[in-house]
Amino acid sequence: METPEGQPDGPSDAELISRVRNGDLEAYGELYARHHHAAERMARQLVPANDADDLASDAFAKVLDALRGGGGPDVSFRAYLLTTVRRVHVDRIRSGKKVQTTDDIASYEREPETFDDPTVTGFESGAAAKAFASLPERWQAVLWHTEVEGEKPAAIAPLLGLTANGVSALAYRAREGLRQAYLQQHLADVAGDRCRWTTERLGAYVRGGLTKRENRNVREHMDDCAKCTAVYLELVEVNSALPALLAPALLGTAGIGYLAAASGAKVGLVGFFVTGWKKVTENSTRSAVGAGTVVVVAVAAVLAALALTGNDTPPAAINQPSAQPTQQPTQPPAQKPTVPPVKPPVKPPSAKPPASNPTQAPTSAPTTAPTSEPTQPSATPTPTATTPVPTPPPTTPTPPTPTPTTPVFDEALVTISMPSGGGSPAFEGARAAASGIRFVITIKTPAANANPVVIGLKYGTELEWPLNGNPPGWVCNQAAGTCTASDPAAPAPLPVTFDAPTGGSAADRTFTVSAKTGRLYDDDSAIVDAKPSTDENLLKILDGRTDPDVHHRILTVAPRTNRKSVTLKLTYGAALEWPIAASPAGWKCTRSTKTCTATNPDKPAPLAADFDVPDKSSDVARTFSVTATADLVSDTDSEVLPAVQQDESLLQILTPTPQTDPNPFVYNRFLKVNGAQGRTVTLDISWGRNLSFLPSFDLGWTCERTSDIRRATCTTKNYKKPLNSEWNAWLPGNGSSNAITVHARVGGREDTDTAQIPPTSSRR
């Protein structure tokens, strides 16, 4: 019911649902009044008539609980309610099953029984189900009420918060959207160019919008291609048999009875299949039996989707000094002297015997008497090769005491600190930006230390090399992850700056400094705090395919490893609507909160956002914004979508020649729209007071006139030829009283032209 001004009487279902979520129970009472009759009609298909009211009441209670909890439908209340009636009935059946005792423990370990419909389960992943599930809930709702319930636009208008004309326009867009979404599901799976050419034209083929040559090519291809034939058969049902498709899939076998109760007609599966087959054969396509079977399975489930690291710190940056043996070397054995024996030189016979080796100790006084044997000059015999000559004890020098090499842990060798009071170190590299987090590494060596001082840096996956070049007093090697002090006696403080991490665990944000000089070693660690930041490269809004009817946009988020979550938040002006299809690949979207969460945060899939071309309005009303949040990094992009564009070549008002004039007794004017073949065209026509617009009987065109003003609107959903407008002129003239003005719109284009009736020439 509509008010005289054309606005719907009372709040829409969506407004009432929003009020219920805010605690307004009176709003739920209005929803109950609107839909209680339908719920009882559905309940009577499942239970006896005297139990139908109880089943419907239980379903309303379930829906109320869902809405209070923030769930439930946003727009399509009727379909959600009927599904709930069926589910409550199934729950009653389950709870009524008898419990049987058994001594077989395995019976308690079985998976719980499910209530799956094998036909629906087998088709949920098919193209038709995905296509319908991809439609906005507003489109799903209008298809349910118009196609399944068979209600008039004027009756549906209050439920959707639209005018009757708005409901008609929305229903047309929803049906066209379903066809296009269905075909788009198949385009990704076609085998070759020929199949793609055919699949892209099946929508126009079903509606009779192709040329004779194209029709022949499509038929010839389908004669040899069972796959394309199957797609065509399914599309015929999607295009022409929506009630028989949607109701059984959503409501099960009870949906057939529900349709019959709603319309008073007998509906059966046999009649449904016969209708589908007739529509197939009307296009003279020799369809394969197997492809027909695909349709039978497919159409039973189109609406199924609508129903509803171990360490806390990184390892040490450099190896600790290895331990060396500290015991003194032992004296070498006598038989293996370290210095080889030296042969004594051969002396001449007159040489005195060596005084260092007397045969006996001298007496206190020399002996006067000769000895028994005369003393003869003798020399030490020359040793032979086999008889070594006794030598004095080895004269090998004692080796010096080795320097100790045992590693010594010095806890004061390395210290990590953060500059206090906002001060900055002397060295400011390119990474010392405002968003960076700075630390100072201090090395304290022994006095007069001459051993090299080397430090090593290790860091978690959320951090990067914190230096740019060589800081004063240090020589660094990024590949090795080390720095060496130029002055080992007094190493300069080493400032490091880490880019602020955007997430990750404590281990991912920890860095370790290991230092070594001589025998001394030490290591220290610190955790870099994660802070929120903005990254202009995180989010990109890209243009999709060119389409005058729809603004196609692709939302992309830059990939990065070790992310925890990626969320997109959408906002848009009053001239726009929710642009995300249901269940997009790689995302979980919630229309009520206008958010989408990536299922793979490391590499989010591109997200398609499709906005209908808005009417002419303010920039604010045509603006949409997207905010991407990846852990602690965020980015926001916006765009003002263009409104309907002026196209001077779109419309022509043509005067027929005497040979082409269809009626010489009136003024005929052909309203020709260029570049609109097979598309929806709307013509708004107004005229002066000296003219009268005669009813139009052109096939394919529908004209609605406003009786109290000189204005009419003519539309066609499949433009094939110009509209022939017929006029009577009560008085001659060339001013506005004898002028007609026509405004044409096709998708995102519009044009306005004016003509005089009668013209200055004699041609009518």
Side-chain angles (χ1 to χ4, degrees), residues 417-435:
S417 61
M418 296 185 68
S420 60
S424 60
F427 174 71
E428 291 287 348
R431 291 185 177 274
S435 61

Side-chain angles (χ1 to χ4, degrees), residues 28 31-32 35-36 39 56-64 77 81:
Y28 198 68
L31 287 171
Y32 182 90
H35 303 285
H36 181 259
S57 298
D58 288 349
F60 271 102
K62 290 283 188 182
V63 176
L64 177 59
F77 186 87
L81 173 64

Side-chain angles (χ1 to χ4, degrees), residues 321-392:
S322 59
Q324 299 292 337
T326 58
Q327 65 272 17
Q328 297 292 337
T330 59
Q331 184 69 23
Q335 64 272 19
K336 294 183 179 179
T338 56
V339 180
V342 180
K343 296 181 180 181
V346 178
K347 300 296 182 180
S350 61
K352 296 182 179 180
S356 59
N357 292 324
T359 57
Q360 62 181 25
T363 60
S364 60
T367 303
T368 59
T371 61
S372 57
E373 294 183 3
T375 303
Q376 298 290 335
S378 62
T380 304
T382 301
T384 63
T386 58
T387 304
V389 176
T391 59

Side-chain angles (χ1 to χ4, degrees), residues 243-254:
L245 286 170
L246 305 186
L250 180 64
L251 307 178
T253 55

Side-chain angles (χ1 to χ4, degrees), residues 24-43:
D24 186 355
L25 292 182
E26 292 184 1
Y28 198 68
E30 189 164 346
L31 287 171
Y32 182 90
R34 289 182 179 182
H35 303 285
H36 181 259
H37 179 68
E40 280 195 341
R41 187 166 69 243
M42 177 62 191

Side-chain angles (χ1 to χ4, degrees), residues 272-285:
F272 160 59
F273 292 147
V274 170
T275 301
W277 183 252
K278 285 182 178 179
K279 293 182 180 298
V280 173
T281 55
E282 285 174 0
N283 283 278
S284 302
T285 301

Side-chain angles (χ1 to χ4, degrees), residues 455-481:
I455 68 170
L457 287 170
K458 291 273 187 174
Y459 37 85
T461 56
E462 285 294 319
L463 305 177
E464 297 180 355
W465 178 251
L467 297 168
N468 185 27
N470 294 320
W474 293 87
V475 176
C476 297
N477 185 337
Q478 181 175 352

Side-chain angles (χ1 to χ4, degrees), residues 180-215:
Q180 296 300 326
Y182 174 78
L183 288 176
Q184 196 64 31
Q185 293 291 334
H186 281 285
L187 285 177
D189 300 327
V190 294
D193 294 340
R194 185 58 179 165
C195 287
R196 175 174 291 275
W197 184 93
T198 302
T199 305
E200 289 175 344
R201 287 161 177 77
L202 283 180
Y205 180 72
V206 170
R207 300 189 303 272
L210 297 181
T211 64
K212 291 182 179 180
R213 182 176 181 180
E214 288 176 328
N215 271 324

